[in-house]
Amino acid sequence: LFGAALVAYGKQRDPLPSWTEGPNKASIIEFVETVTTPGSPKFVPESRRIAAIDNDGTLWTEQPLYFQALYLLQRIKEIAPEHPEWKTKEPFASVLQGNLKKALSGGEKALLEMTLATHAGLTEDEFSDSVRRFLSSARHPTTGHLLTDMVYQPMLELLDFLKANNFKVFIVSGGGIEFVRIFSENLYGIPPERVVGSSLDAKYEFRDGQPVIVKQASIDLIDDHAGKPVGIHRYIGRRPILAIGNSDGDFEMLEYVTTGDGPRLGMIIHHDDPEREFAYDRDSSIGRSARVLDEGPQRGWKIISMQSDWKVIHPEEKK
Amino acid sequence: LFGAALVAYGKQRDPLPSWTEGPNKASIIEFVETVTTPGSPKFVPESRRIAAIDNDGTLWTEQPLYFQALYLLQRIKEIAPEHPEWKTKEPFASVLQGNLKKALSGGEKALLEMTLATHAGLTEDEFSDSVRRFLSSARHPTTGHLLTDMVYQPMLELLDFLKANNFKVFIVSGGGIEFVRIFSENLYGIPPERVVGSSLDAKYEFRDGQPVIVKQASIDLIDDHAGKPVGIHRYIGRRPILAIGNSDGDFEMLEYVTTGDGPRLGMIIHHDDPEREFAYDRDSSIGRSARVLDEGPQRGWKIISMQSDWKVIHPEEKK
Ligand SMILES: [Ca+2]
Ligand SMILES: [Ca+2]
């Protein structure tokens, strides 16, 4: 029965045309077939067909800088007139002087400081308007493409394939939950309530007599490393059966997902294509991936090579 | 066009057969018609048809005690042997002596203390198994019915009506998010990820070498009063257009929802039926409702009388 389903499947339209034929593509299709075949001992009911998928470096590019960092930098310049003290205060001073490298030398801590300073005090509507404005025109520093065109075509196909098989697909991002929620529906067909991410505290307040939600200057959840399973628990409430990430920040999510009972699939997108995208792993400050590559294979995780598993990277290449 | 839709509608099966004909039922049907009629100036696209609905006292009974409090009491008795110190420590001592009134005289604070003491340290699977066991047999103290039969038939019909009109229906409960998630899918057809509620912090840990989520003895979110809009912001990420509650703990949620732009509907379930359910409002410690009744009508919120708006209360009455 199961083999027959696979054969029947092969006669239909290829659901993953941008994926190279080979063991990784076959693993994905076999996994989806297995959990959706009624009567199969590994059948998983729709309510438990949950997929958790990282965003930066997994659904879209994250080099040379997280796109949310590009937003932060632009916003710092925008509101600098209200903050004369930034002229002499790092990392803001370096941003305003155009010295990105120095501004970002403080790593995650500097990014967090910039996030708190630029996001806190905004209402939810002000923040989403601001991000929407940014994304409508922001371009990638090296390709010149709109940031929103820097999504990965093979992953868009995989999202469609999962949704067509009645998976509930969630984004589980180390990035800001509200930032990702702005574009997740348009870009990926994933509605805001299916986005899990890092967050600031929020407060119910009044502005001009109207009730609003205001972002605070304190951290609610860092949805990275062990924070990813915690975020999944908080927002989804069930252990997913499929997880995809690209960096060591996804290790715990894949560990949590793939050690559950029943059929499980974990995948790591490996950025090994310097020609068509970027090549980086264990030595990169952005998207560092060492442990996932070292321990992943023995845990049964599939390492997806962007160079050899993906026929195209971004949708533009199809034109 | 709009009138025609209503007329056409009236010819179809009544979507709310347990609701008495009258202005409140008409308001619900008119609201749903308005936001779902293409071309109507008040049309709302599906992605924004979001409903936020309280649980205790709105979807099921909450008297003489929140059902989660019944669970707490049973769990305290279950694990008392591991806690010899409870014999002399309130509120646990009173629970173990069967003096509920005294045990609960500490109000919300005592309930919270019992929650932390009984929930903390459980893994997510241990907790859900424990709640599932409890709900499979727990009966209501005065009616003797299974707790899961104490849902409100008119609200089940309303949930179906909203879902049939492509609303995304969320529970927004002051109760524990994980507690409600156990039964929301079976009882209401609302999956776990569409439940917003109060929560404890959680941590990613290892037990017997397996990764698990463990509940901590610290509060993450109190999803009541101003915490409800904050919970909505956190979990849903968009302002709902419809909110239903029954107590002053829902005031801010209804305020937040009904002050947004475009068509909005707020409803308060008023417990005024001592014969068929319970009658309580401004003087009740559980489900206290004064401000919602005093200010609701001038804000356009519909006050639903259980006595006169609902033909039946619980599904059993239909038999
Ligand atoms: Ca990533
Ligand atoms: Ca209530």
Side-chain angles (χ1 to χ4, degrees):
Chain A
L1 174 71
F2 182 50
L6 273 178
V7 171
Y9 188 87
K11 287 178 188 159
Q12 292 166 20
R13 195 181 61 83
D14 181 356
L16 302 173
S18 299
W19 290 70
T20 313
E21 297 304 322
N24 283 333
K25 177 174 179 173
S27 295
I28 296 170
I29 291 178
E30 189 191 331
F31 177 78
V32 171
E33 285 285 319
T34 301
V35 302
T36 56
T37 302
S40 153
K42 294 185 171 175
F43 177 77
V44 175
E46 290 179 12
S47 65
R48 299 201 167 260
R49 274 179 223 161
I50 295 169
I53 304 184
D54 172 57
N55 183 49
D56 294 311
T58 297
L59 289 174
W60 73 2
T61 292
E62 63 184 349
Q63 295 282 6
L65 212 55
Y66 296 125
F67 295 176
Q68 188 168 5
L70 297 173
Y71 166 73
L72 282 183
L73 297 173
Q74 174 173 311
R75 184 149 172 85
I76 286 171
K77 289 177 194 159
E78 259 176 35
I79 64 173
E82 302 160 32
H83 295 273
E85 75 279 11
W86 284 355
K87 277 181 193 147
T88 55
K89 192 184 170 195
E90 291 299 348
F92 307 97
S94 293
V95 173
L96 298 174
Q97 288 154 22
N99 188 341
L100 272 199
K101 199 172 168 187
K102 190 173 168 200
L104 297 168
S105 61
E108 301 286 323
K109 194 173 158 290
L111 277 176
L112 183 61
E113 200 174 341
M114 290 191 275
T115 303
L116 296 179
T118 54
H119 289 32
L122 289 181
T123 68
E124 57 181 344
D125 289 346
E126 287 166 351
F127 180 73
S128 57
D129 288 349
S130 161
V131 173
R132 231 179 285 276
R133 255 196 328 270
F134 168 75
L135 286 176
S136 69
S137 64
R139 289 183 178 273
H140 189 267
T142 62
T143 67
H145 292 144
L146 283 173
L147 295 181
T148 49
D149 285 339
M150 299 298 289
V151 294
Y152 301 135
Q153 175 64 22
M155 292 303 291
L156 297 182
E157 292 168 9
L158 180 52
L159 295 179
D160 285 345
F161 182 46
L162 294 172
K163 288 185 251 173
N165 282 283
N166 298 313
F167 274 75
K168 295 182 182 184
V169 181
F170 289 81
I171 293 176
V172 180
S173 173
I177 187 168
E178 282 192 80
F179 184 80
V180 179
R181 279 174 167 173
I182 302 303
F183 57 84
S184 63
E185 188 136 41
N186 278 344
L187 236 55
Y188 308 128
I190 295 176
E193 71 271 15
R194 293 208 175 153
V195 175
V196 179
S198 298
S199 54
L200 302 181
D201 288 325
K203 221 174 137 190
Y204 185 64
E205 291 181 3
F206 283 80
R207 292 267 173 97
D208 304 324
Q210 290 301 308
V212 290
I213 300 288
V214 179
K215 294 164 87 71
Q216 305 294 299
S218 50
I219 294 168
D220 174 27
L221 174 70
I222 301 277
D223 192 53
D224 202 20
H225 286 284
K228 286 208 172 190
V230 169
I232 287 170
H233 168 73
R234 176 198 274 193
Y235 286 94
I236 309 179
R238 282 177 175 167
R239 199 185 286 219
I241 61 169
L242 168 63
I244 314 176
N246 75 299
S247 80
D248 285 351
D250 299 307
F251 185 89
E252 290 82 356
M253 172 170 78
L254 267 81
E255 176 180 64
Y256 175 64
V257 166
T258 59
T259 52
D261 292 334
R264 305 275 158 171
L265 181 60
M267 293 197 282
I268 294 293
I269 309 298
H270 188 200
H271 293 262
D272 59 357
D273 193 330
E275 300 280 315
R276 298 184 301 167
E277 208 237 9
F278 295 91
Y280 59 98
D281 45 39
R282 56 191 70 243
D283 295 324
S284 177
S285 63
I286 289 174
R288 181 172 185 276
S289 48
R291 195 179 174 196
V292 287
L293 297 175
D294 293 338
E295 297 185 28
Q298 75 215 39
R299 290 169 175 267
W301 304 348
K302 308 298 174 193
I303 310 297
I304 308 296
S305 159
M306 290 180 75
Q307 188 170 85
S308 56
D309 282 311
W310 288 1
K311 291 185 201 163
V312 300
I313 307 280
H314 300 299
E316 290 88 343
E317 298 174 30
K318 291 197 303 183
K319 288 173 194 167
Chain B
L1 172 71
F2 183 50
L6 273 178
V7 171
Y9 188 86
K11 287 177 191 161
Q12 293 166 19
R13 194 180 63 83
D14 180 356
L16 302 172
S18 299
W19 290 69
T20 314
E21 298 303 322
N24 282 334
K25 178 173 178 173
S27 295
I28 296 171
I29 292 178
E30 189 191 330
F31 177 78
V32 172
E33 285 284 319
T34 303
V35 302
T36 56
T37 303
S40 152
K42 293 183 171 173
F43 177 78
V44 175
E46 290 179 13
S47 65
R48 299 202 167 260
R49 275 180 223 161
I50 295 168
I53 304 184
D54 172 56
N55 182 48
D56 295 311
T58 297
L59 289 175
W60 72 2
T61 292
E62 64 184 349
Q63 294 285 5
L65 213 57
Y66 296 124
F67 295 177
Q68 189 169 5
L70 297 173
Y71 166 73
L72 283 183
L73 298 174
Q74 174 173 310
R75 186 153 169 82
I76 287 171
K77 289 176 196 159
E78 260 177 34
I79 63 172
E82 303 160 31
H83 295 273
E85 75 280 10
W86 284 356
K87 278 181 193 150
T88 55
K89 192 185 172 194
E90 292 297 349
F92 306 98
S94 293
V95 173
L96 296 175
Q97 288 153 22
N99 189 341
L100 273 199
K101 201 172 167 186
K102 191 173 167 201
L104 298 167
S105 60
E108 303 285 322
K109 194 173 155 289
L111 278 176
L112 183 61
E113 201 175 338
M114 291 190 276
T115 304
L116 296 180
T118 55
H119 289 33
L122 289 181
T123 67
E124 58 181 344
D125 289 345
E126 287 166 350
F127 180 73
S128 59
D129 288 348
S130 161
V131 173
R132 231 179 285 274
R133 256 194 329 270
F134 169 76
L135 287 176
S136 68
S137 63
R139 291 185 176 270
H140 189 268
T142 64
T143 67
H145 292 144
L146 283 173
L147 295 181
T148 48
D149 285 338
M150 298 298 290
V151 295
Y152 301 134
Q153 175 63 24
M155 292 303 291
L156 297 182
E157 292 167 8
L158 180 52
L159 295 180
D160 285 345
F161 183 46
L162 293 172
K163 286 184 251 173
N165 282 282
N166 297 314
F167 274 75
K168 294 181 183 183
V169 181
F170 289 81
I171 293 177
V172 181
S173 173
I177 187 168
E178 280 191 81
F179 185 80
V180 179
R181 280 174 167 173
I182 303 301
F183 56 85
S184 63
E185 188 136 42
N186 278 344
L187 237 55
Y188 309 129
I190 294 176
E193 71 270 16
R194 292 209 175 152
V195 175
V196 180
S198 297
S199 52
L200 301 182
D201 288 325
K203 220 174 138 190
Y204 184 64
E205 292 180 2
F206 283 79
R207 292 266 173 96
D208 304 324
Q210 290 300 309
V212 290
I213 300 288
V214 178
K215 295 166 85 71
Q216 306 294 299
S218 51
I219 294 168
D220 174 29
L221 174 70
I222 301 276
D223 191 53
D224 203 19
H225 287 284
K228 286 209 173 189
V230 169
I232 287 170
H233 168 73
R234 175 198 275 194
Y235 286 93
I236 310 179
R238 282 177 175 165
R239 200 185 286 219
I241 62 168
L242 168 63
I244 314 177
N246 76 300
S247 79
D248 285 353
D250 299 307
F251 186 89
E252 289 83 355
M253 172 170 78
L254 267 82
E255 177 181 64
Y256 174 64
V257 167
T258 60
T259 51
D261 291 335
R264 304 277 158 170
L265 181 60
M267 293 198 282
I268 294 293
I269 310 297
H270 188 199
H271 293 262
D272 58 356
D273 194 328
E275 300 280 316
R276 297 186 300 168
E277 208 237 8
F278 295 92
Y280 59 98
D281 44 39
R282 57 191 69 243
D283 296 323
S284 177
S285 64
I286 289 173
R288 180 172 185 275
S289 48
R291 194 179 176 197
V292 287
L293 297 174
D294 293 339
E295 297 185 28
Q298 75 215 38
R299 289 170 176 267
W301 303 348
K302 309 299 173 193
I303 311 297
I304 308 298
S305 161
M306 289 180 75
Q307 187 170 84
S308 57
D309 281 311
W310 288 0
K311 291 185 203 166
V312 300
I313 308 280
H314 300 299
E316 291 88 342
E317 297 174 32
K318 290 197 303 183
K319 288 174 193 165

Short mmCIF file of all heavy atoms in Angstrom, two decimals, chain B residues 38-80:
data_model
loop_
_atom_site.label_atom_id
_atom_site.label_comp_id
_atom_site.label_asym_id
_atom_site.label_seq_id
_atom_site.Cartn_x
_atom_site.Cartn_y
_atom_site.Cartn_z
N PRO B 38 -19.17 40.35 0.82
CA PRO B 38 -18.22 41.01 -0.09
C PRO B 38 -18.85 42.26 -0.69
O PRO B 38 -20.04 42.26 -1.02
CB PRO B 38 -17.97 39.95 -1.17
CG PRO B 38 -18.42 38.65 -0.57
CD PRO B 38 -19.51 38.99 0.39
N GLY B 39 -18.08 43.32 -0.77
CA GLY B 39 -18.60 44.56 -1.32
C GLY B 39 -19.19 45.47 -0.26
O GLY B 39 -19.35 46.67 -0.48
N SER B 40 -19.55 44.91 0.88
CA SER B 40 -20.05 45.76 1.96
C SER B 40 -18.93 46.68 2.42
O SER B 40 -17.77 46.27 2.48
CB SER B 40 -20.51 44.87 3.13
OG SER B 40 -20.38 45.57 4.35
N PRO B 41 -19.27 47.95 2.73
CA PRO B 41 -18.19 48.85 3.20
C PRO B 41 -17.58 48.36 4.51
O PRO B 41 -16.49 48.77 4.87
CB PRO B 41 -18.92 50.19 3.40
CG PRO B 41 -20.38 49.86 3.46
CD PRO B 41 -20.58 48.59 2.68
N LYS B 42 -18.27 47.48 5.19
CA LYS B 42 -17.75 46.97 6.46
C LYS B 42 -17.21 45.54 6.33
O LYS B 42 -17.00 44.87 7.33
CB LYS B 42 -18.85 47.03 7.52
CG LYS B 42 -19.22 48.46 7.88
CD LYS B 42 -20.25 48.52 8.98
CE LYS B 42 -20.41 49.96 9.47
NZ LYS B 42 -21.52 50.08 10.44
N PHE B 43 -16.99 45.11 5.10
CA PHE B 43 -16.43 43.79 4.87
C PHE B 43 -15.06 43.67 5.56
O PHE B 43 -14.25 44.59 5.50
CB PHE B 43 -16.28 43.53 3.38
CG PHE B 43 -15.63 42.22 3.04
CD1 PHE B 43 -16.36 41.04 3.11
CD2 PHE B 43 -14.29 42.16 2.66
CE1 PHE B 43 -15.76 39.81 2.80
CE2 PHE B 43 -13.70 40.94 2.34
CZ PHE B 43 -14.43 39.77 2.42
N VAL B 44 -14.82 42.54 6.20
CA VAL B 44 -13.52 42.28 6.86
C VAL B 44 -12.92 41.01 6.26
O VAL B 44 -13.57 39.96 6.27
CB VAL B 44 -13.71 42.10 8.39
CG1 VAL B 44 -12.39 41.71 9.05
CG2 VAL B 44 -14.28 43.37 9.02
N PRO B 45 -11.70 41.10 5.71
CA PRO B 45 -11.10 39.90 5.12
C PRO B 45 -10.89 38.81 6.18
O PRO B 45 -10.76 39.09 7.36
CB PRO B 45 -9.76 40.39 4.56
CG PRO B 45 -9.49 41.67 5.26
CD PRO B 45 -10.81 42.25 5.63
N GLU B 46 -10.84 37.56 5.72
CA GLU B 46 -10.78 36.43 6.66
C GLU B 46 -9.62 36.54 7.64
O GLU B 46 -9.76 36.19 8.81
CB GLU B 46 -10.70 35.11 5.88
CG GLU B 46 -11.99 34.79 5.16
CD GLU B 46 -11.93 33.50 4.35
OE1 GLU B 46 -10.98 32.72 4.54
OE2 GLU B 46 -12.85 33.27 3.54
N SER B 47 -8.49 37.02 7.15
CA SER B 47 -7.31 37.05 8.02
C SER B 47 -7.52 37.96 9.23
O SER B 47 -6.83 37.84 10.23
CB SER B 47 -6.08 37.52 7.24
OG SER B 47 -6.26 38.86 6.82
N ARG B 48 -8.48 38.87 9.13
CA ARG B 48 -8.73 39.78 10.26
C ARG B 48 -10.04 39.47 10.99
O ARG B 48 -10.43 40.19 11.91
CB ARG B 48 -8.72 41.23 9.78
CG ARG B 48 -7.38 41.61 9.20
CD ARG B 48 -7.09 43.11 9.20
NE ARG B 48 -5.69 43.36 8.90
CZ ARG B 48 -4.76 43.64 9.82
NH1 ARG B 48 -5.10 43.72 11.09
NH2 ARG B 48 -3.51 43.84 9.47
N ARG B 49 -10.70 38.41 10.58
CA ARG B 49 -11.92 38.00 11.31
C ARG B 49 -11.51 37.20 12.54
O ARG B 49 -11.57 35.97 12.55
CB ARG B 49 -12.79 37.15 10.40
CG ARG B 49 -13.70 37.96 9.53
CD ARG B 49 -14.54 37.05 8.64
NE ARG B 49 -14.59 37.60 7.30
CZ ARG B 49 -14.92 36.90 6.23
NH1 ARG B 49 -15.20 35.61 6.34
NH2 ARG B 49 -14.95 37.48 5.05
N ILE B 50 -11.09 37.90 13.56
CA ILE B 50 -10.55 37.25 14.74
C ILE B 50 -11.49 37.47 15.92
O ILE B 50 -11.92 38.60 16.17
CB ILE B 50 -9.13 37.79 15.05
CG1 ILE B 50 -8.19 37.40 13.91
CG2 ILE B 50 -8.63 37.28 16.39
CD1 ILE B 50 -6.86 38.11 13.94
N ALA B 51 -11.83 36.39 16.59
CA ALA B 51 -12.71 36.46 17.77
C ALA B 51 -11.93 36.02 19.00
O ALA B 51 -11.21 35.03 18.96
CB ALA B 51 -13.92 35.56 17.56
N ALA B 52 -12.08 36.76 20.09
CA ALA B 52 -11.42 36.45 21.36
C ALA B 52 -12.50 36.15 22.39
O ALA B 52 -13.33 37.01 22.69
CB ALA B 52 -10.56 37.62 21.82
N ILE B 53 -12.51 34.93 22.90
CA ILE B 53 -13.61 34.49 23.75
C ILE B 53 -13.07 33.92 25.06
O ILE B 53 -12.24 33.00 25.06
CB ILE B 53 -14.46 33.44 23.01
CG1 ILE B 53 -14.95 34.04 21.67
CG2 ILE B 53 -15.64 33.00 23.87
CD1 ILE B 53 -15.87 33.15 20.88
N ASP B 54 -13.54 34.50 26.15
CA ASP B 54 -13.21 34.03 27.49
C ASP B 54 -13.73 32.60 27.70
O ASP B 54 -14.64 32.17 27.00
CB ASP B 54 -13.87 35.01 28.49
CG ASP B 54 -13.77 34.53 29.91
OD1 ASP B 54 -12.66 34.27 30.38
OD2 ASP B 54 -14.84 34.41 30.55
N ASN B 55 -13.16 31.88 28.66
CA ASN B 55 -13.61 30.49 28.89
C ASN B 55 -14.50 30.34 30.13
O ASN B 55 -15.69 30.06 30.00
CB ASN B 55 -12.39 29.57 29.00
CG ASN B 55 -12.80 28.12 29.18
OD1 ASN B 55 -13.66 27.61 28.45
ND2 ASN B 55 -12.22 27.44 30.16
N ASP B 56 -13.96 30.54 31.32
CA ASP B 56 -14.74 30.31 32.55
C ASP B 56 -15.92 31.28 32.65
O ASP B 56 -15.72 32.50 32.68
CB ASP B 56 -13.85 30.46 33.79
CG ASP B 56 -12.76 29.40 33.86
OD1 ASP B 56 -13.08 28.21 33.70
OD2 ASP B 56 -11.58 29.77 34.07
N GLY B 57 -17.12 30.76 32.72
CA GLY B 57 -18.30 31.62 32.83
C GLY B 57 -18.76 32.16 31.49
O GLY B 57 -19.78 32.85 31.41
N THR B 58 -18.01 31.87 30.42
CA THR B 58 -18.41 32.31 29.07
C THR B 58 -18.64 31.11 28.16
O THR B 58 -19.61 31.07 27.41
CB THR B 58 -17.35 33.26 28.47
OG1 THR B 58 -17.28 34.45 29.28
CG2 THR B 58 -17.71 33.67 27.06
N LEU B 59 -17.76 30.11 28.25
CA LEU B 59 -17.95 28.90 27.45
C LEU B 59 -18.43 27.73 28.32
O LEU B 59 -19.05 26.80 27.82
CB LEU B 59 -16.66 28.51 26.72
CG LEU B 59 -16.26 29.43 25.55
CD1 LEU B 59 -14.91 29.01 24.99
CD2 LEU B 59 -17.31 29.43 24.44
N TRP B 60 -18.05 27.75 29.59
CA TRP B 60 -18.56 26.75 30.52
C TRP B 60 -18.72 27.37 31.89
O TRP B 60 -18.24 28.49 32.15
CB TRP B 60 -17.72 25.47 30.53
CG TRP B 60 -16.36 25.51 31.17
CD1 TRP B 60 -15.77 26.57 31.82
CD2 TRP B 60 -15.43 24.40 31.27
NE1 TRP B 60 -14.54 26.20 32.28
CE2 TRP B 60 -14.30 24.89 31.97
CE3 TRP B 60 -15.44 23.08 30.87
CZ2 TRP B 60 -13.19 24.07 32.25
CZ3 TRP B 60 -14.34 22.28 31.15
CH2 TRP B 60 -13.24 22.77 31.82
N THR B 61 -19.40 26.65 32.77
CA THR B 61 -19.72 27.12 34.12
C THR B 61 -18.45 27.36 34.93
O THR B 61 -17.44 26.68 34.73
CB THR B 61 -20.61 26.04 34.79
OG1 THR B 61 -21.87 26.03 34.11
CG2 THR B 61 -20.83 26.33 36.26
N GLU B 62 -18.53 28.32 35.85
CA GLU B 62 -17.38 28.61 36.72
C GLU B 62 -17.75 28.58 38.19
O GLU B 62 -16.92 28.81 39.07
CB GLU B 62 -16.79 29.98 36.38
CG GLU B 62 -17.75 31.14 36.65
CD GLU B 62 -17.18 32.49 36.23
OE1 GLU B 62 -15.98 32.58 35.93
OE2 GLU B 62 -17.97 33.46 36.19
N GLN B 63 -19.03 28.30 38.48
CA GLN B 63 -19.50 28.23 39.87
C GLN B 63 -19.70 26.77 40.28
O GLN B 63 -19.97 25.95 39.39
CB GLN B 63 -20.83 28.99 40.03
CG GLN B 63 -20.74 30.49 39.82
CD GLN B 63 -20.11 31.24 40.97
OE1 GLN B 63 -19.63 30.63 41.94
NE2 GLN B 63 -20.08 32.57 40.87
N PRO B 64 -19.61 26.39 41.53
CA PRO B 64 -19.29 27.27 42.66
C PRO B 64 -17.81 27.58 42.78
O PRO B 64 -17.40 28.29 43.69
CB PRO B 64 -19.76 26.43 43.86
CG PRO B 64 -19.57 25.02 43.41
CD PRO B 64 -19.87 25.01 41.95
N LEU B 65 -17.02 27.05 41.79
CA LEU B 65 -15.56 27.16 41.86
C LEU B 65 -15.04 26.96 40.44
O LEU B 65 -15.54 26.12 39.72
CB LEU B 65 -15.06 25.99 42.72
CG LEU B 65 -13.83 26.19 43.58
CD1 LEU B 65 -14.03 27.35 44.52
CD2 LEU B 65 -13.56 24.92 44.39
N TYR B 66 -14.00 27.74 40.07
CA TYR B 66 -13.36 27.48 38.78
C TYR B 66 -13.00 26.01 38.69
O TYR B 66 -12.49 25.44 39.65
CB TYR B 66 -12.06 28.29 38.66
CG TYR B 66 -12.24 29.78 38.65
CD1 TYR B 66 -11.57 30.58 39.57
CD2 TYR B 66 -13.05 30.41 37.72
CE1 TYR B 66 -11.72 31.97 39.57
CE2 TYR B 66 -13.21 31.79 37.71
CZ TYR B 66 -12.53 32.56 38.64
OH TYR B 66 -12.69 33.93 38.63
N PHE B 67 -13.23 25.40 37.54
CA PHE B 67 -12.95 23.96 37.41
C PHE B 67 -11.45 23.67 37.60
O PHE B 67 -11.08 22.60 38.07
CB PHE B 67 -13.44 23.43 36.06
CG PHE B 67 -14.95 23.50 35.90
CD1 PHE B 67 -15.55 23.12 34.71
CD2 PHE B 67 -15.77 23.93 36.95
CE1 PHE B 67 -16.94 23.17 34.55
CE2 PHE B 67 -17.16 23.99 36.80
CZ PHE B 67 -17.74 23.61 35.60
N GLN B 68 -10.63 24.63 37.24
CA GLN B 68 -9.20 24.41 37.46
C GLN B 68 -8.88 24.37 38.96
O GLN B 68 -7.94 23.69 39.38
CB GLN B 68 -8.37 25.50 36.77
CG GLN B 68 -6.87 25.19 36.79
CD GLN B 68 -6.05 26.08 35.88
OE1 GLN B 68 -6.57 27.04 35.28
NE2 GLN B 68 -4.76 25.80 35.76
N ALA B 69 -9.67 25.08 39.76
CA ALA B 69 -9.49 25.02 41.22
C ALA B 69 -9.86 23.63 41.73
O ALA B 69 -9.22 23.09 42.64
CB ALA B 69 -10.32 26.10 41.90
N LEU B 70 -10.90 23.03 41.12
CA LEU B 70 -11.24 21.66 41.50
C LEU B 70 -10.08 20.71 41.20
O LEU B 70 -9.78 19.81 41.99
CB LEU B 70 -12.50 21.20 40.74
CG LEU B 70 -13.79 21.97 41.03
CD1 LEU B 70 -14.90 21.51 40.08
CD2 LEU B 70 -14.21 21.80 42.48
N TYR B 71 -9.44 20.95 40.07
CA TYR B 71 -8.28 20.14 39.72
C TYR B 71 -7.15 20.33 40.75
O TYR B 71 -6.54 19.37 41.22
CB TYR B 71 -7.78 20.50 38.32
CG TYR B 71 -6.41 19.97 38.01
CD1 TYR B 71 -6.20 18.61 37.78
CD2 TYR B 71 -5.30 20.82 37.99
CE1 TYR B 71 -4.93 18.12 37.52
CE2 TYR B 71 -4.03 20.34 37.73
CZ TYR B 71 -3.85 18.99 37.51
OH TYR B 71 -2.59 18.51 37.26
N LEU B 72 -6.92 21.59 41.11
CA LEU B 72 -5.87 21.89 42.09
C LEU B 72 -6.12 21.15 43.40
O LEU B 72 -5.21 20.58 44.00
CB LEU B 72 -5.87 23.39 42.41
CG LEU B 72 -5.23 24.33 41.39
CD1 LEU B 72 -5.27 25.74 41.92
CD2 LEU B 72 -3.80 23.89 41.12
N LEU B 73 -7.38 21.20 43.85
CA LEU B 73 -7.71 20.58 45.12
C LEU B 73 -7.46 19.07 45.06
O LEU B 73 -6.90 18.48 45.99
CB LEU B 73 -9.18 20.86 45.46
CG LEU B 73 -9.51 22.35 45.65
CD1 LEU B 73 -11.01 22.55 45.84
CD2 LEU B 73 -8.73 22.94 46.82
N GLN B 74 -7.87 18.46 43.95
CA GLN B 74 -7.63 17.03 43.83
C GLN B 74 -6.14 16.72 43.79
O GLN B 74 -5.67 15.77 44.42
CB GLN B 74 -8.32 16.47 42.57
CG GLN B 74 -7.95 15.00 42.36
CD GLN B 74 -8.74 14.36 41.22
OE1 GLN B 74 -9.97 14.46 41.16
NE2 GLN B 74 -8.03 13.70 40.33
N ARG B 75 -5.42 17.55 43.07
CA ARG B 75 -3.98 17.29 42.94
C ARG B 75 -3.26 17.48 44.28
O ARG B 75 -2.32 16.74 44.59
CB ARG B 75 -3.38 18.18 41.85
CG ARG B 75 -1.95 17.84 41.60
CD ARG B 75 -1.37 18.12 40.25
NE ARG B 75 0.08 17.95 40.35
CZ ARG B 75 0.69 16.78 40.29
NH1 ARG B 75 0.01 15.68 40.06
NH2 ARG B 75 2.00 16.70 40.46
N ILE B 76 -3.70 18.44 45.06
CA ILE B 76 -3.09 18.63 46.39
C ILE B 76 -3.27 17.36 47.22
O ILE B 76 -2.32 16.88 47.85
CB ILE B 76 -3.71 19.86 47.10
CG1 ILE B 76 -3.19 21.14 46.46
CG2 ILE B 76 -3.39 19.84 48.59
CD1 ILE B 76 -3.88 22.40 46.92
N LYS B 77 -4.46 16.80 47.17
CA LYS B 77 -4.69 15.56 47.94
C LYS B 77 -3.82 14.43 47.41
O LYS B 77 -3.25 13.65 48.18
CB LYS B 77 -6.17 15.18 47.88
CG LYS B 77 -7.04 16.14 48.70
CD LYS B 77 -8.52 15.81 48.56
CE LYS B 77 -9.39 16.97 49.05
NZ LYS B 77 -10.74 16.92 48.48
N GLU B 78 -3.71 14.36 46.07
CA GLU B 78 -2.91 13.29 45.45
C GLU B 78 -1.46 13.31 45.88
O GLU B 78 -0.87 12.27 46.17
CB GLU B 78 -2.92 13.48 43.92
CG GLU B 78 -3.88 12.60 43.15
CD GLU B 78 -3.83 12.96 41.65
OE1 GLU B 78 -2.75 13.32 41.13
OE2 GLU B 78 -4.91 12.91 41.04
N ILE B 79 -0.88 14.51 45.87
CA ILE B 79 0.57 14.56 46.12
C ILE B 79 0.90 14.96 47.55
O ILE B 79 2.08 15.17 47.88
CB ILE B 79 1.29 15.49 45.11
CG1 ILE B 79 0.82 16.94 45.25
CG2 ILE B 79 1.11 14.99 43.69
CD1 ILE B 79 1.65 17.92 44.40
N ALA B 80 -0.11 15.02 48.42
CA ALA B 80 0.13 15.41 49.82
C ALA B 80 1.16 14.51 50.51
O ALA B 80 1.98 15.01 51.31
CB ALA B 80 -1.18 15.41 50.59
#
